Amino acid sequence: MTPYESAKAQLENRRAAEMAEYLDDRLHMIHYDETTFARSMLPVSELHGISHVARECGLSVDAMRRQLSGTRPLYFDHVLGVMRALGIRLRVEPMQRGSP
């Protein structure tokens, strides 16, 4: 791996970590719902490249924006496609008793 490729990979890993942290923080908010989550994914997708994200989900850019803006239902397979396109993954963990 060249120094350029190594630096690029490090930058992509750092960006993916920041995106994952941002979305994870949103998921832990009280009264968080599907529309709010979709709206949280929109700016992250735009920063990463909405056309790449839409392509990964098999949608047009307009259809992807409608889903991520909350004006259309967000399907779970599209959530997974967005995560894949962003280079992050969704993780499930047990809730602490007494947590919201």
Side-chain angles (χ1 to χ4, degrees):
M1 181 179 281
T2 68
Y4 171 76
E5 291 169 332
S6 178
K8 183 179 176 185
Q10 287 177 349
L11 178 61
E12 288 174 0
N13 289 338
R14 187 170 47 239
R15 286 181 65 200
E18 289 171 353
M19 289 184 287
E21 183 177 351
Y22 170 79
L23 292 172
D24 190 56
D25 287 347
R26 298 309 172 275
L27 281 172
H28 287 92
M29 295 171 63
I30 297 174
H31 306 298
Y32 207 71
D33 61 10
E34 174 191 338
T35 302
T36 308
F37 183 63
R39 288 183 183 147
S40 296
M41 291 192 325
L42 181 58
V44 173
S45 296
E46 287 175 335
L47 285 172
H48 188 74
I50 192 93
S51 60
H52 171 70
V53 173
R55 206 172 25 255
E56 184 71 35
C57 294
L59 298 173
S60 69
V61 170
D62 289 336
M64 187 86 262
R65 282 187 199 280
R66 283 192 299 271
Q67 281 198 3
L68 296 181
S69 69
T71 58
R72 296 282 185 192
L74 180 62
Y75 299 106
F76 190 67
D77 60 331
H78 294 148
V79 170
L80 295 177
V82 170
M83 298 294 168
R84 196 171 29 257
L86 297 176
I88 59 180
R89 68 178 142 207
L90 194 58
R91 188 175 85 202
V92 178
E93 59 186 41
M95 290 177 44
Q96 298 285 329
R97 293 200 181 256
S99 293

